[in-house]
Amino acid sequence: MNDHKILMETQELKKYYPVPRKKLFEKKQYVKAVDGLNLKIPKGCTYGLVGESGCGKSTVGQVLAGIYSASEGTVFYEGEALLGLPKEKKKQIRRKIQMIFQDPYSSLNPKKKIGWILEEPLKTSTHLKRQERKQKVIEVLQQVGLDQNYMDKYPNELSGGQRQRVSIAAALLLDPEFIIADEAVSALDVSVQAQILNLLKKLQRERNLTYLFISHNLNVVRFMSDYIGVMYLGHLVEYGTTEEVCDHPLHPYTKALLSSVVDVKDRGEKRIILEGEVPDPVHTPKGCPFHTRCSQVKECCKEEKPEWNMEKENHAVWCHNLRGEK
């Protein structure tokens, strides 16, 4: 990671959602979706963010995309803090950050044709003339493997894979540098998933894009990513190069996730079954948030938050037990 310039960074990022009060004078409570996240995403690379549903990974993407504002902490883009920037400057940076959503159908207006959907952002964010906008839409469609005939189609006339290609085209229209792909292939058939993943890799090479690739599927994350961060209950618990995290996992949670992956190569490892449920994000456990499900828990895990242990220069674990040893 030190060989690459850091494009996007978060410091102690928190995103809390208020819980509606059931009683008039009840103490205000919050869902701690993201709770003190430190993330560094190198330019031109793919950073995979993985974890169970509800761990906060999608919320991270939505905060970085500017859909939600952070409750606390700082977001940096090319070393510049986004909080407190003048409105016009922030708008310029936000144009460089785009998002691809999980469900391509719900992210496209079903009442409008594809040409209109793709041209609209160019109307509001550029000074291109009508013919220039049309040509830009055609070029981007061709880059994602669709021809200009798709401009006259409605979203419901397209397959899931074609709709996702349109969503990718929409993300490319303003020539971004950073794209957040939030479960971008999870709603697609396996064969179509492979096509979309290969398309994303091709576009990254051609446009020098940086991706935050969010998924619960470790096989997909392993294929796409240069670096992987593992999230649990709003916290990053391990990060490193894809090779290090997948071949030499350190955190007990990472080991459990990897043991559940169906691998064509028989690793000969025993499946790790996590006991219990993910704790309530409103009442998170004291100490290490994973200690209620960890088979290697110590007394200190129940009382004290872990510190980061650097196993290698680009591989660290947030755990009281380096390598899970007692």
Side-chain angles (χ1 to χ4, degrees):
M1 195 176 294
N2 293 338
D3 296 335
H4 298 273
K5 179 182 178 181
I6 300 301
L7 182 68
M8 180 71 80
E9 180 179 358
T10 69
Q11 290 183 0
E12 294 300 319
L13 181 68
K14 296 183 180 181
K15 179 59 184 177
Y16 293 174
Y17 298 100
V19 178
R21 289 184 175 133
K22 295 181 180 179
K23 298 179 182 178
L24 181 60
F25 297 108
E26 187 178 34
K27 183 180 178 181
K28 200 166 188 178
Q29 296 180 322
Y30 297 88
V31 173
K32 300 173 183 177
V34 181
D35 198 10
L37 186 76
N38 294 309
L39 201 64
K40 291 184 178 181
I41 303 175
K43 186 176 179 64
C45 296
T46 298
Y47 192 109
L49 202 56
V50 67
E52 292 172 290
S53 296
C55 70
K57 56 188 186 296
S58 291
T59 300
V60 173
Q62 290 162 350
V63 171
L64 296 187
I67 296 173
Y68 296 129
S69 58
S71 302
E72 291 182 30
T74 310
V75 177
F76 295 90
Y77 189 83
E78 292 188 318
E80 192 166 22
L82 298 185
L83 185 65
L85 278 180
K87 186 176 179 181
E88 190 57 36
K89 177 67 174 176
K90 185 180 287 188
K91 185 178 179 180
Q92 291 174 7
I93 292 178
R94 288 299 182 194
R95 283 183 55 180
K96 299 178 182 180
I97 304 170
Q98 298 295 321
M99 194 161 186
I100 302 168
F101 295 94
Q102 176 178 357
D103 184 358
Y105 189 73
S106 62
S107 63
L108 302 174
N109 188 336
K111 296 181 179 180
K112 299 293 183 179
K113 292 182 178 180
I114 300 304
W116 185 96
I117 293 171
L118 295 179
E119 190 179 350
E120 194 64 16
L122 297 175
K123 289 181 181 178
T124 58
S125 301
T126 72
H127 299 292
L128 296 177
K129 296 179 181 179
R130 182 178 181 182
Q131 191 57 37
E132 292 173 324
R133 293 196 302 267
K134 182 179 179 181
Q135 186 59 37
K136 177 77 170 178
V137 170
I138 292 172
E139 290 174 1
V140 173
L141 280 174
Q142 289 174 342
Q143 285 183 336
V144 300
L146 302 175
D147 59 47
Q148 67 182 81
N149 294 326
Y150 284 86
M151 294 176 65
D152 293 322
K153 294 180 181 292
Y154 289 94
N156 68 335
E157 297 179 275
L158 308 182
S159 67
Q162 290 168 341
R163 286 197 291 264
Q164 195 59 293
R165 287 175 187 268
V166 172
S167 296
I168 294 170
L172 296 175
L173 277 170
L174 299 179
D175 299 316
E177 297 177 339
F178 181 59
I179 291 182
I180 301 155
D182 185 10
E183 299 281 7
V185 296
S186 63
L188 306 175
D189 293 338
V190 175
S191 60
V192 180
Q193 284 185 14
Q195 295 172 18
I196 297 299
L197 293 175
N198 287 324
L199 172 63
L200 290 172
K201 277 183 169 282
K202 174 176 172 286
L203 292 169
Q204 184 175 41
R205 290 192 301 269
E206 293 174 349
R207 289 171 163 258
N208 192 30
L209 295 169
T210 303
Y211 291 145
L212 174 62
F213 192 86
I214 299 168
S215 179
H216 66 278
N217 188 326
L218 260 172
N219 276 332
V220 171
V221 170
R222 182 187 299 182
F223 173 76
M224 283 294 298
S225 306
D226 301 293
Y227 300 92
I228 291 178
V230 181
M231 280 193 73
Y232 183 80
L233 205 63
H235 296 270
L236 197 67
V237 297
E238 184 169 354
Y239 69 84
T241 63
T242 298
E243 182 180 0
E244 282 293 328
V245 172
C246 291
D247 294 344
H248 308 287
L250 300 175
H251 198 280
Y253 179 61
T254 308
K255 293 177 181 179
L257 288 180
L258 284 166
S259 78
S260 67
V261 172
V262 178
D263 199 331
V264 292
K265 298 177 181 177
D266 184 12
R267 293 160 59 116
E269 297 176 2
K270 185 179 178 181
R271 172 76 185 273
I272 300 172
I273 306 296
L274 293 177
E275 301 291 338
E277 300 293 331
V278 179
D280 182 359
V282 177
H283 305 98
T284 54
K286 187 178 179 181
C288 173
F290 186 63
H291 85 258
T292 58
R293 304 174 74 193
C294 183
S295 61
Q296 300 163 345
V297 63
K298 293 173 160 185
E299 285 304 314
C300 62
C301 302
K302 301 176 183 178
E303 299 295 330
E304 305 167 14
K305 286 193 178 295
E307 294 183 358
W308 281 101
N309 293 304
M310 294 295 298
E311 173 66 6
K312 292 185 178 179
E313 186 179 10
N314 287 327
H315 191 189
V317 59
W318 195 60
C319 183
H320 288 292
N321 299 301
L322 185 61
R323 292 187 180 278
E325 295 171 359
K326 292 187 178 182

